Amino acid sequence: MDYALIWAILISVAVFAYVALDGFDLGIALLFPWFKKEEDRDVMMNTVAPVWDGNETWLVLGGGGLLAVFPLAYSVLMPALYMPVIAMLLGLIFRGVAFEYRFKTKRAKGIWDLSFIVGSLIAALSQGIMLGAMLQGIQVTDRAYSGGWFDWLTPFSFFCGVAVVIGYMMLGSTWLVMKTKGDLQRQSYRAGWYSALLLVACIAFVSLYLPYVDPFIAERWFTYPASVGLWVLPILLVGITLGLLRSLHKKQEGRPYLWGLGLFLLSFAGFAVSIFPYLVPRSITLWQAAAPDNSLKFLLIGAMVLLPIIFAYTGYTYWVFRGKVDSDSGYHD
């Protein structure tokens, strides 16, 4: 049994679950500058207040799993990405404090609004920069990071950071479409439409740029006939984009968020296809980075127990707090 591959899939699921769930949390904060009314902001925060901290469970699982299961990859990636990782964690701390303190003050509400926005912006931007840094490649010599302190910061990695910010804004908008009503929902439809168009433009640019500058990715995607099966991904991207825009235009409530998740899922699949079988692109494969099989097997037994529990309580939480949120109801009221 290929335990390394199984664990790579499990960690990928955890990372995607984090993006899918915490993404709309961060996106709601990023939308705050376009929603000026205090009442609207209260409702926006109340739509995610019961679930935001539980959503971060998946980030812990992904990061902790990488350390335990792929220690070599962890030892290379962390020195390469120290700055954006620390910035992300500080941003999440600011965002978390703002969640609780904003509802306990009147005079300083503007300060906590700003903390909520800035913390979420730093966290989302840092996540995208780390993604871009991995795609552009990490310098490795003798199984150790050999690049500079700021190698992670390039125009491309920063562009990926902006793309993730836009993507989270799209998820936040579609979440609000599903959870709110009235004028707030109407504004969310508009925000979802524009952010979806910008996100698709970003995905298209990255999809064209990377094969142009990276021969490995170009060979993976454009070697005929081996790559023919991969062409279904851009075809699906077009279909999902049209479905998302159509659902927003027709003022549907639940489907825009699901279509938005589809965009992220396809982008995630494209990322995996572009770097596989490497965990540290072009340097260390997942099998080279993996811990011994005995350790992977032991950890897998624990994961088989814990993952169903995490899925169960996450699903139960969303079920309990399902439905619309308005100014007269909310987690903090």
Side-chain angles (χ1 to χ4, degrees):
M1 185 176 292
D2 194 338
Y3 292 109
L5 182 59
I6 292 172
W7 266 108
I9 294 171
L10 288 178
I11 291 177
S12 298
V13 169
V15 172
F16 180 75
Y18 170 77
V19 170
L21 299 178
D22 207 40
F24 65 76
D25 289 356
L26 294 167
I28 284 173
L30 298 170
L31 291 168
F32 257 39
W34 287 270
F35 292 82
K36 304 295 186 181
K37 295 179 181 178
E38 182 178 324
E39 180 181 319
D40 286 345
R41 291 183 171 186
D42 288 344
V43 173
M44 291 166 71
M45 292 192 77
N46 270 322
T47 64
V48 296
V51 297
W52 73 270
D53 45 357
N55 292 341
E56 294 184 355
T57 302
W58 299 103
L59 181 63
V60 176
L61 180 61
L66 184 66
L67 170 61
V69 178
F70 300 109
L72 178 59
Y74 186 90
S75 69
V76 172
L77 292 174
M78 282 302 296
L81 303 172
Y82 268 141
M83 284 284 286
V85 168
I86 292 171
M88 178 190 71
L89 294 176
L90 290 175
L92 291 175
I93 290 171
F94 270 93
R95 190 272 301 259
V97 172
F99 251 113
E100 301 302 328
Y101 277 62
R102 185 182 180 276
F103 287 98
K104 302 183 187 300
T105 182
K106 293 294 183 183
R107 290 181 299 176
K109 210 167 207 179
I111 296 175
W112 295 115
D113 280 350
L114 182 62
S115 177
F116 187 49
I117 295 168
V118 173
S120 298
L121 176 61
I122 291 173
L125 191 65
S126 298
Q127 291 171 17
I129 287 173
M130 287 187 280
L131 172 67
M134 289 188 65
L135 282 171
Q136 70 189 9
I138 292 173
Q139 189 174 335
V140 178
T141 304
D142 296 330
R143 294 160 58 95
Y145 177 62
S146 58
W149 184 248
F150 288 100
D151 282 9
W152 52 270
L153 185 58
T154 65
F156 175 74
S157 66
F158 186 79
F159 178 85
C160 289
V162 173
V164 169
V165 168
I166 294 171
Y168 285 171
M169 292 174 70
M170 183 272 295
L171 284 181
S173 300
T174 54
W175 175 260
L176 290 175
V177 162
M178 185 167 55
K179 297 292 288 185
T180 64
K181 54 188 177 182
D183 186 58
L184 177 55
Q185 187 187 54
R186 286 190 289 273
Q187 292 182 68
S188 300
Y189 276 117
R190 289 194 295 271
W193 176 272
Y194 291 119
S195 56
L197 290 176
L198 287 173
L199 176 61
V200 172
C202 291
I203 294 172
F205 173 79
V206 172
S207 300
L208 295 174
Y209 174 79
L210 280 175
Y212 178 75
V213 300
D214 192 321
F216 176 86
I217 294 178
E219 182 180 359
R220 174 62 55 85
W221 283 94
F222 297 112
T223 301
Y224 183 85
S227 63
V228 171
L230 301 178
W231 296 350
V232 69
L233 292 178
I235 295 172
L236 287 174
L237 178 66
V238 172
I240 289 177
T241 300
L242 293 175
L244 173 59
L245 296 177
R246 181 175 179 272
S247 64
L248 289 169
H249 178 71
K250 289 185 170 294
K251 299 295 188 290
Q252 296 173 340
E253 294 190 340
R255 291 184 180 180
Y257 179 69
L258 297 177
W259 285 118
L261 287 183
L263 280 182
F264 270 86
L265 182 60
L266 282 182
S267 301
F268 198 79
F271 171 77
V273 167
S274 296
I275 70 169
F276 186 82
Y278 294 100
L279 275 184
V280 180
R282 261 63 90 220
S283 299
I284 300 172
T285 68
L286 64 94
W287 295 281
Q288 292 170 335
D293 274 359
N294 287 339
S295 298
L296 299 183
K297 185 177 181 180
F298 176 77
L299 291 168
L300 185 60
I301 294 171
M304 291 173 64
V305 175
L306 290 176
L307 281 176
I309 296 173
I310 296 173
F311 277 114
Y313 77 65
T314 300
Y316 179 72
T317 301
Y318 278 88
W319 174 258
V320 169
F321 292 98
R322 67 192 183 278
K324 298 286 188 179
V325 176
D326 55 36
S327 58
D328 298 322
S329 63
Y331 179 72
H332 284 92
D333 294 336

